[in-house]
Amino acid sequence: MDIGLERPDEGDLRLPPCRPRSMPAPPQDCWSVLGIVLVLGAMGCIQSISCKAKGIRESISVVDVKASIDPVPTNIDESSSVVLRYRTPHFRASAQVLMPPILKKETWIVGWIQACNHMEFYNYYGEHGMSSWELPDLLEGKIQAISDSDGVNYPWYGNTTETCTIIGPTKKEAKFSVSMNDNFYPSVTWAVPVSESSVAKLTHIHRDQSFTTWLVATNTTTSEMVTLQTIKWRMKLGIEVTPCKPLGQRAKLREPSAQEQPQILNKNEPIPTSALVKPNANDAQVLMWRPTDGPPLVVIPPKYR
């Protein structure tokens, strides 16, 4: 290792010895010994630097994180003669977070970010065809996931219980909770959506969606982002409909009676860029009509173009 000292020419015997001649010569010349001492000293300095207090991003800790889906079946509502409604059980996530003192004048936001990774949402109308809510970029593989933000507070899922803002400088450690919940409550027309007829033709509903939810801390001053926890969850359902039956007796839940519980991952997954920016899933989705015979038709275009 070069420690920045000039070394004398070993062949120049006119240089004075490093030790008095009465002392025995060391195993190595004095310059090598000096070099070792300086290197060891430098290593000690490096070690002391690494032992200094960690930065804020390494010091944020999650005391407790919970994730669950309510252990109840999907509720079916046939009160309308125009649409069938159903309400799925809620996915719920919560966490307690410890934020160390913020020494600088900067702002941190801690909260939940969610993205949809997969969506199947099909409404079958017997021999006539099916309607389908679709996310084109996700379906075509152009993106890995799409933001499930509320459409206002990107990239956050929401801006009430879902996030907490800490404005520095602060003197004390902050402890707080953030929580979120999500479920589906759609309306599906009894009749074929592209028909002027109001006669019920709906025969089956199939839905299968997967999500990734991240607990994140972001420094809004520097745009630094720290992923604290990653959760994966899925919602599935199947509803069979007998359209010729009287209203209130048509639909029956087939699967599942209880949802799989979410997975809290031991190792965090990276957040795709598409999960942080517009559009969100609600604004990007398209309602298609796919007839048994004939070309598909856009029934409701995306809000975001």
Side-chain angles (χ1 to χ4, degrees):
M1 180 182 293
D2 182 5
I3 57 175
L5 294 176
E6 288 188 7
R7 187 176 180 129
D9 184 354
E10 293 179 357
D12 188 353
L13 300 179
R14 293 173 297 174
L15 289 173
C18 296
R19 292 173 178 239
R21 292 184 184 275
S22 60
M23 295 181 65
Q28 297 178 338
D29 61 82
C30 61
W31 291 99
S32 297
V33 174
L34 178 59
I36 293 171
V37 171
L38 290 176
V39 170
L40 290 175
M43 291 176 64
C45 291
I46 293 171
Q47 185 176 12
S48 66
I49 291 172
S50 67
C51 292
K52 287 183 179 179
K54 294 180 179 180
I56 288 180
R57 64 172 293 148
E58 291 83 8
S59 301
I60 302 172
S61 59
V62 181
V63 180
D64 185 29
V65 61
K66 296 178 181 177
S68 64
I69 295 178
D70 294 347
V72 295
T74 294
N75 178 262
I76 299 173
D77 178 4
E78 292 188 40
S79 59
S80 169
S81 60
V82 178
V83 296
L84 177 151
R85 297 187 181 94
Y86 61 86
R87 188 190 299 271
T88 64
H90 282 78
F91 161 79
R92 303 180 191 275
S94 64
Q96 283 194 334
V97 182
L98 287 178
M99 173 70 75
I102 301 172
L103 305 180
K104 299 179 181 180
K105 187 179 179 180
E106 55 189 22
T107 299
W108 283 82
I109 299 177
V110 179
W112 298 101
I113 293 174
Q114 181 165 281
C116 177
N117 312 102
H118 176 78
M119 183 169 82
E120 297 174 14
F121 188 173
Y122 308 135
N123 307 309
Y124 295 90
Y125 292 83
E127 61 184 13
H128 301 281
M130 72 171 188
S131 65
S132 173
W133 283 103
E134 301 173 7
L135 295 166
D137 285 353
L138 190 64
L139 189 63
E140 295 168 14
K142 294 180 179 179
I143 56 175
Q144 291 179 291
I146 188 166
S147 169
D148 199 29
S149 162
D150 62 0
V152 178
N153 301 287
Y154 285 94
W156 308 105
Y157 181 76
N159 198 31
T160 52
T161 62
E162 295 87 359
T163 60
C164 182
T165 302
I166 306 95
I167 301 174
T170 59
K171 296 181 179 179
K172 297 181 180 179
E173 182 181 65
K175 183 177 182 180
F176 53 88
S177 297
V178 285
S179 62
M180 64 162 286
N181 69 82
D182 190 14
N183 79 321
F184 309 148
Y185 186 36
S187 299
V188 181
T189 58
W190 292 110
V192 172
V194 295
S195 170
E196 294 182 0
S197 171
S198 60
V199 177
K201 298 293 183 181
L202 181 67
T203 54
H204 185 71
I205 296 173
H206 166 81
R207 191 160 184 175
D208 187 353
Q209 280 185 254
S210 299
F211 299 86
T212 304
T213 308
W214 295 271
L215 179 63
V216 176
T218 297
N219 184 330
T220 61
T221 306
T222 64
S223 299
E224 179 182 18
M225 181 175 286
V226 185
T227 302
L228 304 173
Q229 192 69 64
T230 306
I231 299 169
K232 285 189 170 294
W233 63 282
R234 182 180 185 183
M235 190 75 74
K236 297 174 62 179
L237 78 132
I239 298 174
E240 281 193 11
V241 181
T242 307
C244 59
K245 285 188 175 182
L247 190 65
Q249 302 175 27
R250 295 174 181 170
K252 186 174 183 180
L253 182 67
R254 285 300 183 192
E255 59 175 354
S257 57
Q259 301 291 328
E260 298 175 11
Q261 289 301 307
Q263 291 182 303
I264 300 175
L265 304 188
N266 294 324
K267 184 178 180 180
N268 285 319
E269 290 190 356
I271 306 176
T273 303
S274 55
L276 304 173
V277 296
K278 294 181 179 181
N280 70 343
N282 285 342
D283 289 347
Q285 65 184 357
V286 180
L287 180 61
M288 300 293 298
W289 170 249
R290 299 188 178 277
T292 304
D293 297 314
L297 177 67
V298 176
V299 180
I300 301 177
K303 295 178 183 178
Y304 182 89
R305 292 180 180 272

